Amino acid sequence: MSKNKPIQVFEYQKLKIGQDGFTETHFQSLVLFNEKNSNKYFTAVHKGILFNCYVGVIQIGGLTIEILPKADSNDNKLIWRDVLLHMLKECKLIQVDNVSETHLKKKYNSVLEAYYDIYLNEIEYLIKRGLIKKYRKNQSNQLSLKGKLLFSQNIQKNLVHKERFYCSHQVYDRNNLIHQILLEGLSVLQHLETRGFTDRINRIMLEFDKIDKVKITPRHFAKIQTNRKTKPYTNAIQIARMLILNYSPNISSGNENMLTLLFDMNKLWEEYIFRILHKYKPATYKVSYQNSDNFWENKRIKPDILLTKEDGENFIIDTKWKITTSNKPSDEDLKQMFVYNLHWESPKSMLLYPQIDQKDSEFGNYKFKYNDRINQCKLGFVSILDSGRIKKGKQLCDEILSKIQ
């Protein structure tokens, strides 16, 4: 495993050329990658990069950059990397169910190394089980008639060699789409500078020597059908998809290969809060995520989280991953939450922010009543950390539910 430590920065922080091995070549590769993605991941500044709400990891050649979330005064980057891994695991964006979080903290230098190691573990497990075989059609020259003779192709290819037959026949072997995808994922790792994994990758590749090399695209993943034989491949295919679809080989002449794994922290926070509530809520609550509904013409409205008690009463939670010093909702947020309250007949709504040292606001009343119902809104704050450790999910869930009572 690579001993090179990644560059670690926080969201909305700058990374300058010359800092911790970040070179002009790395800078140019990032700028070109960002331009190809509508400049959404960061901003190019004078001799550097200014990151925004996207967190995750970027590998350019042998350099790894981790962009970490940060929502309080704690500057311990190891803690915030563990927070990121924890949130990705809860949201099923990293398949590490068979690896403990303590193991993750001790073993890996970066988030990407976790993916690499788990991917190789999964393939080694599949090899020990025995790689599955499938039937496929094969068209080739044969010394004896096998299957169906293709007359026109036989005339074209065997005009001189009368002893050969160009046939179409079925073959039962390992050369199928699933193994072609896994092979492409291994090829991505070979092209990246994953020095600590080189021997394992080369050893595993020997098991795929008779698998065709195919340029894998998103449509190939749509063709995979899950059944009893392919179910053990699920985790490996998911990680292969991440590796293949996020890999940018030589995105411009002279630049290095790049792999990116970036997440919008606003969306990650939103899904994380939903999954915590869904996992730990009492039986008296029902939790639904992004309940989209018609609003006006072809426009729709979609609150982040809708809580419903067993008596049918609704509560709205809208998550915000940003630091606010105000103790009152903005005018824009108030209007948005008011619409949610009316549309879903919810008496209360809450804007939920990460906590530094803020205190919840009191529920404020909207002056306009609907069906003689008082509608209310407040700001709520929760911390994902407790004394420098990741807060237990049940504790976090209970804190959130207590805020809407």
Side-chain angles (χ1 to χ4, degrees):
M1 193 170 298
S2 175
K3 295 182 180 179
N4 296 334
K5 289 186 177 180
I7 297 174
Q8 292 181 319
V9 296
F10 287 119
E11 52 182 333
Y12 298 103
Q13 189 174 329
K14 289 181 183 178
L15 177 61
K16 305 292 285 187
I17 294 173
Q19 178 182 341
D20 299 326
F22 183 62
T23 67
E24 176 71 29
T25 301
H26 297 139
F27 171 77
Q28 294 297 336
S29 294
L30 283 180
V31 169
L32 186 55
F33 164 76
N34 201 38
E35 288 175 349
K36 289 188 174 184
N37 289 277
S38 305
N39 294 304
K40 69 178 182 179
Y41 292 119
F42 41 76
T43 302
V45 296
H46 180 61
K47 294 186 177 181
I49 297 294
L50 175 62
F51 295 100
N52 55 23
C53 64
Y54 281 87
V55 299
V57 62
I58 302 170
Q59 182 169 330
I60 318 170
L63 180 72
T64 302
I65 304 169
E66 286 187 343
I67 308 105
L68 305 174
K70 186 175 183 293
D72 65 20
S73 56
N74 191 327
D75 289 325
N76 189 320
K77 290 176 179 175
L78 290 177
I79 289 176
W80 286 108
R81 188 183 67 183
D82 293 341
V83 167
L84 177 59
L85 281 169
H86 168 75
M87 294 179 75
L88 292 175
K89 180 180 177 180
E90 285 292 336
C91 296
K92 307 299 182 184
L93 296 171
I94 179 171
Q95 299 297 320
V96 292
D97 289 342
N98 58 335
V99 181
S100 70
E101 291 187 15
T102 302
H103 192 165
L104 278 175
K105 295 174 187 177
K106 291 181 179 178
K107 188 175 181 181
Y108 303 113
N109 289 323
S110 74
V111 177
L112 277 181
E113 283 195 354
Y115 275 104
Y116 299 162
D117 196 31
I118 295 165
Y119 184 56
L120 297 178
N121 286 341
E122 288 289 337
I123 297 180
E124 287 169 340
Y125 164 73
L126 293 169
I127 291 171
K128 287 180 181 179
R129 282 178 56 98
L131 298 178
I132 62 172
K133 294 182 178 181
K134 287 188 173 186
Y135 284 104
R136 63 182 177 87
K137 283 187 178 180
N138 181 54
Q139 295 182 1
S140 62
N141 263 321
Q142 303 289 326
L143 293 177
S144 60
L145 184 60
K146 183 186 292 187
K148 179 181 178 182
L149 180 67
L150 303 175
F151 289 99
S152 59
Q153 292 94 323
N154 187 60
I155 293 171
Q156 292 173 4
K157 296 178 181 293
N158 296 326
L159 190 60
V160 176
H161 297 281
K162 302 294 185 181
E163 77 282 4
R164 297 177 183 174
F165 302 89
Y166 196 82
C167 306
S168 173
H169 61 282
Q170 282 194 327
V171 178
Y172 185 65
D173 62 11
R174 297 174 176 175
N175 189 17
N176 52 63
L177 176 59
I178 289 180
H179 294 147
Q180 290 164 0
I181 288 173
L182 297 185
L183 175 60
E184 183 72 358
L186 290 167
S187 298
V188 168
L189 293 187
Q190 277 192 320
H191 287 103
L192 294 167
E193 293 190 28
T194 52
R195 298 183 186 90
F197 299 101
T198 302
D199 290 341
R200 285 179 70 192
I201 295 169
N202 292 338
R203 191 165 57 249
I204 292 172
M205 289 285 273
L206 295 175
E207 300 289 336
F208 290 79
D209 62 329
K210 295 183 179 180
I211 307 299
D212 290 344
K213 191 80 170 65
V214 176
K215 180 64 177 176
I216 301 297
T217 64
R219 64 182 178 83
H220 289 101
F221 292 96
K223 293 180 180 179
I224 297 176
Q225 295 181 349
T226 302
N227 53 41
R228 179 181 56 83
K229 291 180 69 175
T230 62
K231 190 174 181 179
Y233 284 76
T234 302
N235 285 351
I237 291 294
Q238 287 177 339
I239 300 177
R241 179 186 179 92
M242 181 279 294
L243 292 171
I244 295 166
L245 300 187
N246 290 283
Y247 175 61
S248 303
N250 295 320
I251 59 176
S252 75
S253 179
N255 284 354
E256 299 180 88
N257 297 331
M258 181 184 298
L259 183 69
T260 58
L261 186 65
L262 298 171
F263 305 91
D264 185 333
M265 195 58 209
N266 296 299
K267 294 180 180 178
L268 185 59
W269 173 244
E270 173 186 311
E271 184 173 348
Y272 175 72
I273 294 298
F274 162 72
R275 288 187 179 272
I276 289 295
L277 290 172
H278 186 267
K279 189 174 183 179
Y280 297 102
K281 64 176 176 56
T284 53
Y285 280 94
K286 177 183 176 183
V287 184
S288 53
Y289 183 50
Q290 293 189 338
N291 253 9
S292 178
D293 205 351
N294 289 323
F295 176 55
W296 179 82
E297 295 293 335
N298 61 345
K299 294 185 180 294
R300 303 180 71 83
I301 52 175
K302 184 171 59 176
D304 295 343
I305 298 168
L306 177 66
L307 287 165
T308 305
K309 295 183 71 174
E310 59 184 353
D311 62 4
E313 190 172 46
N314 290 330
F315 302 95
I316 302 291
I317 297 178
D318 216 52
T319 60
K320 305 284 184 182
W321 180 263
K322 62 181 181 180
I323 304 303
T324 179
T325 56
S326 174
N327 201 37
K328 294 182 180 180
S330 68
D331 289 351
E332 183 178 347
D333 285 338
L334 279 172
K335 293 171 184 176
Q336 181 184 33
M337 301 305 282
F338 180 65
V339 172
Y340 291 161
N341 281 6
L342 292 186
H343 191 81
W344 274 275
E345 298 185 0
S346 170
K348 293 180 179 179
S349 57
M350 177 172 65
L351 295 149
L352 188 64
Y353 290 81
Q355 186 177 39
I356 297 181
D357 53 10
Q358 311 98 320
K359 292 184 178 179
D360 291 7
S361 70
E362 298 294 329
F363 273 109
N365 296 339
Y366 289 106
K367 299 301 180 183
F368 181 82
K369 294 183 179 181
Y370 180 71
N371 288 342
D372 292 325
R373 181 195 295 268
I374 296 176
N375 296 303
Q376 299 179 311
C377 182
K378 70 180 286 187
L379 291 188
F381 301 92
V382 291
S383 175
I384 197 171
L385 295 174
D386 184 9
S387 301
R389 296 183 178 182
I390 297 171
K391 191 173 290 182
K392 298 292 185 182
K394 180 67 166 61
Q395 180 185 351
L396 185 58
C397 176
D398 290 345
E399 284 183 23
I400 295 170
L401 294 180
S402 69
K403 296 175 184 296
I404 60 175
Q405 301 304 321

